[in-house]
Amino acid sequence: MPSATTSEPTLESLQAHFPLTLPVPTPTTHPDLISTSELQREEEVLRNPYSFRTWWNAIQTTKEASSLLLKTEGPTELSADVAALLGPLSTPAARKSLQRLTYLYESALVQFPTSFKLWKSYLLMRMTYVCGKLVHRKKAGGRKKFQDMRDALQEEQEDLEQWEGGLDGVVGWGEWKALVATFERALMWVPRMPRLWLFYLSIFNHPFCPPQLSHTHARRTYDRALRTLPPSLHSRIWVRYLLWAEKRGGATTVAIYRRYLSVDPSVTERYTALLLSPENPSPRPLEAAKLLLSLARKAAKGEYISPEGKSPYQLLIEWLEVAEQHAEEVGLDVEGTADSNAAIAQAELEEEQAAPHQPSEPVKVDCQLIRLAGPAIAVDGEGKVLPAYDEDEDYRSTRKLNVERIIKKDGLEVYKDQAGRLWTGLATYWIKRGEFDRAKATFEDGIASVLTIRDFTQIFDAYAEFSESLISALMESIAEPDEDEDEEDIKQTEAELDVKMKEFEELMDRRPFLVNDVLLRRNPNDVQEWEKRVALWGEHDDKVAETYTQALTTVNPRKATANFHKLYVNFAKFYEEGGTNGEAEADLDNARKILERATKVNFKTVEDLADVWCEWAELEIRHENYDEAIRVMQRAAAVPKNTKINYHDHSIPVQARLFKSLKLWSFYVDLEESLGTVESTKAVYDKIFELRIANAQVIVNYAAFLEENKYFEESFKVYERGVELFTFPVSYEIWNIYLAKFVKRYGGDKIERTRDLFEQALEKCPAKSCKSIFLMYASFEEEHGLAKRAMGIYDRATGVVNDEDKFDLFTIYIAKATASYGLTATRPIYERALEILPDKQTAEMCLRFASMERKLGEIDRARAIYAHASQFCDPRVNQNFWAEWNTFEIETGSEDTFREMLRIKRSVQAQFNTEASYIAAQMASKQKDGVEDDDEDAPTDAMAAAERLAGGVKGPAFVASKNNVNIRQQEDEPGASAANADEIHISDDEDS
């Protein structure tokens, strides 16, 4: 039996099927277009050729019939590969359906050539048979208002049409060409419909679109769309146009983007990314750099806002990164940079010389300024002045950029806080070009100009890394020399390596000095940094002296930080000690000259100048020039004729206010006490009093000095002057010392005078300070006066001092009265104490009072005192009081008195339960005693906690509903004290 063999169709046989729609199929050329069942439809459209509904119904009926026919048609006999080439037209039924629909649409368009609805339906039908099935993506919401181009490009990239299948561009070239011709006829009739243009342009993005159509023809079609449609619709075309240009790449992308950038520069950043993309076969770094530079400058002027939210500095850094990565293509070399800098300087000089002198007053006509002469100025369509032409921003120019000048002008002058990144970027640019010497000079310039430690660290780290990389490269070159290198070349490399190693070591050694330079550039008036600079030089005396001299000439005294005068003092000590290590001879003359110079400096405070004079005097003392030291202090303390100068008036030089410096006078008087005579010292002290700058310490020192020299009365007069000058609390210390000294000196000799002094001290003494004076007064009376007066003083003190001191005073008062008059004499004192003391202290005093009465055998009086004190003692807080009363009743009482005590205790407890402060007081007592409840016994809700807190150890204050109110709740207290064998047990209910 012979086998049936099928041969694959050839390309020519497949191409023979097309074009199917050109010329337009008609029943004359294709008799099988109309079947007998469709004759009625033909008659209907012939009878009503101008009825759009008739034509539309006929077209829709034919579409449905064709769709049903395609679904019922069996599988094709062609192979899968051949069917994929033919796409939707792989079956005879599909090809026949296309011809039938084309015949109907063309016939209808003869009658309605300007119908947008008809053309749209016809073109979509033709695209379905040629391009395949369109894949529709789901979108959230309706179409929004057109956004800016950046967002529109991103969204349109996601929404581009995609098709399933499609007719191959080679096999179906004739049909593709017929489709394009149909679009051209449609746009000839309805050229203002943007939807038809978008349909037309979408076929150029089809993967099977023939190259003859998707390149030059597509570009021209986009251009015709822009020329035809109104400007308001251009944005919808440009989105597709730019995306199409990105796919084409090369010169097409550059040309189209340049056209669009002249209208809308918002996509410049996207364009620069395309120019530098790794996928771009021909990158254009120079053009990208110029565009980014233009954007950075416009953003710095406020003329451009980045759609991506980038700042002007970020745009400049992007430009710098391009210059770093493409140094050879973007920037000039060293010679070109020098020539460019010279040309720019010459042009600026000529422009400055050629600039006409402006008239003193502008020329006006009818009160309006007029322009008489000058060069021509370019303006735009609205009359605004255009910026001057800059070839650095012209992306069409092929001239390379002067990277060094741009970084200094547009970077370092504007972004001073980012100097570290800019300097390292410039150095990296020179490194990429192989200009290592220029890179090293750039690093040095950057380190010598930055003002922050952050920038310095950034530059220094990059500088060190660069040096290390050079050393590593030289070491590798020596370890693995090339074949063409001889011994002489290797020796040169080794010599160069030694030089680089030495430079690197010097760089590391210079780091502390470089850091100090940065801090001093930031603030040349920082005294502490100048001191650190001196310390860095160590034992280099010449450099130390040079640094001190530079510091003193640089620092502004009015702006200097703290302790500026220390620079002068330390500089003088440097000469005095013979240098830092003391090996040189002491140069006192230079030290005196420096201090003399310091005394003429207008420091920020008077105290700084006073320190200088004191240091000068100490210098003389250290070298045993005592007379010279006193003369120095006499010069410093010279009093001017006009002494009515405000010490705190900073507008007056410190030299004019120095005579009121207490620090200076204190040092002067100490010097006189040590080296001078009594008279000279007294004269200095009197001068201090005369200038009214004395403080309490000066008063005490002066009096002590006079006392040491046996001038007792004069010392007391000084104390008198002190208490007159100062008020409490300052005079309190003076009175204490004065009274103690006076009593010690005279004892009982001048009793009346001593009493007068005590009365004077107490006259204006506040309550919080008079306790010690009263005690001293009473002690004096006990020793040298009358005991009765001493008791009177104690009694007087108890009514004057603060409440917190009254208890202590009553304690002392009672002790003194007991010692002098016996226990019975203390009863009035106790009674007065109970009237005066606060409640908390009253209870303690009552305990002592009751104890005293028990000693005297007055049991009833003691019980009455306990009863009086009970009103101040909460049984839950003051347990010690009730325990002591309980013990007292057990030892001395009866059943009636014990029952009375229990009644009073319940009454007081009920009274405290009604007070709002009870809970807070009990909690404070528990915290004080360290009593804490166990977690197991803690109540679980707030109300239970409140009941337990209110009830104490006797039970809750609120009776639960499940309990009988007539049944007393009994609780066993954990840790209760052991029962007293002698205690009389009396029921609480038997109190009546």
Side-chain angles (χ1 to χ4, degrees):
M1 182 178 180
S3 60
T5 60
T6 59
S7 60
E8 291 290 337
T10 61
L11 178 62
E12 290 77 8
S13 62
L14 294 177
Q15 290 178 338
H17 295 294
F18 306 103
L20 298 172
T21 57
L22 191 67
V24 177
T26 62
T28 304
T29 58
H30 297 73
D32 56 347
L33 279 181
I34 301 176
S35 62
T36 56
S37 61
E38 296 174 342
L39 292 177
Q40 183 178 359
R41 182 200 69 193
E42 290 295 319
E43 292 176 356
E44 181 68 23
V45 297
L46 288 175
R47 283 194 301 268
N48 301 301
Y50 301 111
S51 174
F52 183 83
R53 182 177 295 276
T54 302
W55 285 103
W56 188 256
N57 291 336
I59 291 171
Q60 297 302 319
T61 302
T62 305
K63 274 187 176 182
E64 294 174 0
S66 299
S67 176
L68 183 62
L69 179 62
L70 293 175
K71 291 180 180 179
T72 58
E73 187 179 16
T76 179
E77 298 178 356
L78 301 175
S79 63
D81 295 338
V82 175
L85 292 175
L86 296 178
L89 299 175
S90 60
T91 62
R95 294 192 285 271
K96 185 57 67 177
S97 298
L98 174 61
Q99 289 180 334
R100 287 176 178 175
L101 290 172
T102 301
Y103 161 68
L104 280 176
Y105 273 112
E106 291 290 348
S107 300
L109 288 171
V110 171
Q111 305 298 329
F112 306 100
T114 59
S115 173
F116 169 73
K117 183 177 181 180
L118 200 57
W119 276 113
K120 178 183 177 183
S121 179
Y122 180 29
L123 294 173
L124 287 176
M125 184 275 297
R126 291 286 296 271
M127 290 174 64
T128 302
Y129 281 97
V130 176
C131 299
K133 182 181 179 181
L134 181 64
V135 178
H136 295 280
R137 296 184 180 182
K138 294 183 179 180
K139 297 182 181 180
R143 186 176 182 84
K144 300 179 181 179
K145 185 180 178 181
F146 187 83
Q147 302 173 343
D148 57 2
M149 184 56 67
R150 171 178 168 272
D151 296 334
L153 285 171
Q154 186 175 357
E155 292 186 4
E156 194 68 25
Q157 182 73 36
E158 300 173 355
D159 297 340
L160 281 177
E161 296 86 351
Q162 293 184 2
W163 291 269
E164 293 181 358
L167 180 61
D168 185 74
V170 178
V171 175
W173 161 244
E175 196 60 39
W176 276 96
K177 189 166 56 174
L179 176 62
V180 170
T182 305
F183 268 108
E184 292 292 345
R185 285 193 299 115
L187 294 174
M188 179 185 69
W189 286 105
V190 282
R192 299 288 182 176
M193 295 299 172
R195 179 55 58 186
L196 298 184
W197 282 103
L198 293 176
F199 287 156
Y200 189 11
L201 299 174
S202 66
I203 67 174
F204 300 135
N205 294 322
H206 197 285
F208 295 158
C209 183
Q212 297 90 330
L213 300 177
S214 62
H215 289 76
T216 303
H217 179 77
R219 178 174 54 80
R220 292 175 178 173
T221 303
Y222 276 111
D223 293 340
R224 284 194 296 118
L226 292 172
R227 289 195 299 269
T228 303
L229 293 176
S232 60
L233 299 175
H234 281 190
S235 56
R236 302 178 65 181
I237 303 299
W238 271 115
V239 174
R240 296 289 186 107
Y241 201 1
L242 295 177
L243 291 177
W244 175 83
E246 291 178 9
K247 290 184 178 180
R248 297 285 78 83
T252 302
T253 303
V254 174
I256 294 172
Y257 259 98
R258 282 182 177 180
R259 285 177 55 193
Y260 184 74
L261 291 179
S262 62
V263 178
D264 180 15
S266 63
V267 294
T268 306
E269 297 176 42
R270 184 185 181 96
Y271 177 43
T272 56
L274 291 173
L275 293 177
L276 300 172
S277 175
E279 302 174 357
N280 189 356
S282 56
R284 295 169 176 258
L286 179 59
E287 181 176 351
K290 290 190 175 184
L291 288 171
L292 287 173
L293 178 61
S294 176
L295 292 183
R297 288 177 174 176
K298 290 179 179 178
K301 298 176 183 177
E303 300 175 359
Y304 173 77
I305 299 177
S306 172
E308 299 180 4
K310 296 178 182 178
S311 64
Y313 171 72
Q314 289 176 320
L315 293 172
L316 185 67
I317 290 301
E318 287 189 5
W319 167 84
L320 182 56
E321 291 175 353
V322 174
E324 291 175 359
Q325 297 171 4
H326 306 276
E328 296 288 345
E329 297 88 348
V330 173
L332 299 172
D333 56 7
V334 176
E335 296 180 358
T337 301
D339 296 340
S340 176
N341 291 336
I344 292 173
Q346 183 65 26
E348 292 177 352
L349 180 60
E350 293 177 357
E351 183 180 357
E352 183 179 356
Q353 293 176 352
H357 296 287
Q358 296 293 334
S360 58
E361 293 185 2
V363 180
K364 297 181 181 180
V365 174
D366 296 333
C367 298
Q368 292 184 354
L369 294 175
I370 62 172
R371 185 166 171 268
L372 295 178
I377 299 177
V379 296
D380 57 9
E382 299 178 357
K384 296 181 180 179
V385 178
L386 294 175
Y389 174 75
D390 190 349
E391 195 171 357
D392 290 343
E393 302 178 17
D394 186 4
Y395 53 83
R396 297 180 180 84
S397 174
T398 58
R399 191 188 75 174
K400 295 183 179 181
L401 300 175
N402 186 346
V403 176
E404 188 175 79
R405 179 177 180 275
I406 294 172
I407 290 178
K408 291 181 179 179
K409 179 181 177 182
D410 297 303
L412 295 172
E413 293 182 3
V414 180
Y415 309 105
K416 301 182 186 302
D417 57 334
Q418 300 294 336
R421 175 66 182 90
L422 297 172
W423 278 111
T424 54
L426 179 58
T428 304
Y429 164 77
W430 289 119
I431 293 172
K432 290 294 183 67
R433 292 193 65 94
E435 302 290 347
F436 298 140
D437 293 337
R438 189 75 170 210
K440 179 182 176 182
T442 301
F443 279 126
E444 293 289 346
D445 292 342
I447 289 176
S449 62
V450 294
L451 300 176
T452 62
I453 296 298
R454 178 176 63 88
D455 292 335
F456 167 79
T457 304
Q458 195 171 3
I459 298 174
F460 187 86
D461 292 345
Y463 192 5
E465 184 179 356
F466 163 67
S467 301
E468 290 176 355
S469 63
L470 282 182
I471 293 172
S472 300
L474 291 174
M475 294 177 68
E476 291 177 2
S477 176
I478 295 173
E480 300 176 1
D482 295 338
E483 297 178 356
D484 56 349
E485 291 185 357
D486 53 9
E487 294 183 0
E488 185 177 353
D489 295 335
I490 296 176
K491 289 182 180 180
Q492 290 180 356
T493 305
E494 292 177 352
E496 185 178 359
L497 177 60
D498 293 340
V499 173
K500 295 299 180 183
M501 290 288 291
K502 184 178 180 181
E503 290 178 353
F504 182 71
E505 292 175 358
E506 292 178 353
L507 177 64
M508 293 295 104
D509 293 338
R510 284 194 299 141
R511 192 180 192 283
F513 292 93
L514 296 175
V515 172
N516 186 259
D517 286 338
V518 172
L519 296 175
L520 288 178
R521 278 197 300 274
R522 185 176 63 182
N523 183 12
N525 301 308
D526 192 339
V527 176
Q528 287 70 31
E529 291 304 323
W530 283 109
E531 293 286 359
K532 292 179 183 178
R533 183 81 171 184
V534 171
L536 287 175
W537 286 116
E539 298 181 357
H540 295 79
D541 292 347
D542 295 338
K543 292 294 184 179
V544 170
E546 182 181 350
T547 303
Y548 272 124
T549 304
Q550 183 182 2
L552 297 179
T553 55
T554 303
V555 177
N556 185 346
R558 305 300 296 177
K559 298 180 180 179
T561 57
N563 297 325
F564 174 50
H565 66 285
K566 291 292 185 181
L567 284 178
Y568 285 97
V569 173
N570 294 336
F571 195 12
K573 287 183 179 179
F574 169 76
Y575 280 109
E576 179 191 358
E577 296 171 357
T580 54
N581 52 13
E583 295 179 357
E585 294 183 0
D587 191 352
L588 295 181
D589 292 337
N590 276 332
R592 292 189 182 102
K593 289 179 181 179
I594 293 169
L595 293 174
E596 180 71 32
R597 177 184 171 189
T599 59
K600 299 177 181 178
V601 176
N602 188 15
F603 294 102
K604 294 174 71 173
T605 63
V606 179
E607 300 303 319
D608 293 346
L609 181 59
D611 281 338
V612 172
W613 283 105
C614 294
E615 289 290 343
W616 191 355
E618 288 182 357
L619 179 145
E620 301 295 345
I621 294 172
R622 284 194 294 269
H623 293 83
E624 299 181 357
N625 298 327
Y626 304 120
D627 295 338
E628 184 65 26
I630 293 179
R631 281 194 292 270
V632 168
M633 294 311 299
Q634 289 175 348
R635 284 183 56 194
V639 180
K641 294 181 179 179
N642 182 17
T643 58
K644 296 181 180 179
I645 293 178
N646 186 0
Y647 178 78
H648 301 286
D649 187 358
H650 294 283
S651 61
I652 303 175
V654 292
Q655 285 77 9
R657 295 179 283 149
L658 178 62
F659 72 96
K660 284 195 173 184
S661 172
L662 182 60
K663 184 175 185 179
L664 179 73
W665 285 101
S666 298
F667 184 85
Y668 186 15
V669 78
D670 289 342
L671 192 63
E672 286 289 351
E673 287 185 14
S674 302
L675 304 176
T677 62
V678 175
E679 298 301 326
S680 63
T681 306
K682 290 171 61 178
V684 175
Y685 272 118
D686 292 338
K687 201 64 179 179
I688 295 174
F689 278 96
E690 182 181 345
L691 293 174
R692 302 182 68 83
I693 59 175
N695 57 11
Q697 187 62 48
V698 172
I699 302 293
V700 174
N701 291 344
Y702 189 12
F705 170 76
L706 293 174
E707 184 180 357
E708 289 176 2
N709 291 276
K710 310 301 181 183
Y711 293 92
F712 297 106
E713 285 299 329
E714 292 189 16
S715 68
F716 295 149
K717 290 180 181 179
V718 171
Y719 284 123
E720 292 285 351
R721 295 176 65 180
V723 296
E724 290 177 1
L725 288 174
F726 300 102
T727 58
F728 284 93
V730 178
S731 62
Y732 168 74
E733 300 296 338
I734 301 177
W735 274 115
N736 269 338
I737 299 173
Y738 181 21
L739 294 172
K741 295 286 186 182
F742 193 88
V743 172
K744 180 181 178 181
R745 170 65 180 167
Y746 293 108
D749 295 341
K750 299 184 178 182
I751 296 178
E752 292 301 325
R753 182 178 174 185
T754 305
R755 289 172 179 170
D756 291 341
L757 290 178
F758 275 111
E759 293 297 334
Q760 291 178 19
L762 293 172
E763 183 178 358
K764 297 181 180 180
C765 183
K768 63 180 181 179
S769 303
C770 62
K771 176 183 175 181
S772 60
I773 299 178
F774 271 114
L775 293 177
M776 189 186 303
Y777 192 6
S779 176
F780 167 77
E781 289 292 347
E782 291 175 7
E783 293 180 4
H784 306 288
L786 301 175
K788 183 178 180 181
R789 290 186 63 90
M791 296 300 106
I793 293 171
Y794 282 122
D795 185 69
R796 175 183 167 191
T798 57
V800 175
V801 298
N802 277 350
D803 292 342
E804 57 267 19
D805 295 330
K806 288 182 179 180
F807 186 85
D808 294 338
L809 265 178
F810 271 111
T811 302
I812 298 171
Y813 187 13
I814 292 170
K816 296 293 184 180
T818 302
S820 300
Y821 301 105
L823 289 176
T824 56
T826 60
R827 283 175 179 165
I829 304 175
Y830 275 115
E831 293 173 357
R832 188 164 184 271
L834 298 183
E835 295 175 359
I836 296 176
L837 290 176
D839 293 346
K840 293 182 180 180
Q841 297 176 349
T842 300
E844 179 66 24
M845 188 60 69
C846 285
L847 290 177
R848 297 186 181 186
F849 193 8
S851 176
M852 185 272 294
E853 293 293 351
R854 288 184 63 184
K855 291 178 182 178
L856 296 177
E858 298 290 343
I859 304 302
D860 293 337
R861 291 180 62 87
R863 184 175 291 109
I865 294 169
Y866 280 123
H868 173 75
S870 64
Q871 61 182 321
F872 310 113
C873 300
D874 181 11
R876 298 169 183 82
V877 178
N878 302 96
Q879 296 179 4
N880 294 334
F881 170 81
W882 293 99
E884 185 172 341
W885 193 2
N886 184 75
T887 303
F888 170 77
E889 293 295 345
I890 291 173
E891 294 176 354
T892 62
S894 62
E895 293 186 6
D896 294 338
T897 59
F898 195 88
R899 190 178 293 112
E900 179 67 15
M901 184 268 291
L902 293 178
R903 186 190 66 77
I904 295 173
K905 182 177 181 181
R906 286 195 298 272
S907 175
V908 172
Q909 179 176 338
Q911 177 186 356
F912 277 98
N913 285 346
T914 59
E915 294 183 0
S917 61
Y918 161 68
I919 294 178
Q922 187 174 8
M923 291 300 297
S925 175
K926 285 188 176 183
Q927 292 178 0
K928 180 178 180 182
D929 298 337
V931 178
E932 296 182 356
D933 294 337
D934 295 335
D935 295 337
E936 297 179 357
D937 299 333
T940 58
D941 61 289
M943 183 57 72
E947 292 178 358
R948 179 170 181 175
L949 188 62
V953 297
K954 290 295 183 180
F958 303 98
V959 181
S961 61
K962 65 181 180 180
N963 296 333
N964 189 342
V965 297
N966 296 323
I967 300 175
R968 180 176 304 277
Q969 296 183 359
Q970 298 179 356
E971 295 182 357
D972 295 335
E973 287 187 35
S977 58
N980 187 1
D982 298 330
E983 183 178 0
I984 301 174
H985 297 282
I986 301 175
S987 174
D988 292 344
D989 296 334
E990 298 179 1
D991 55 351
S992 58

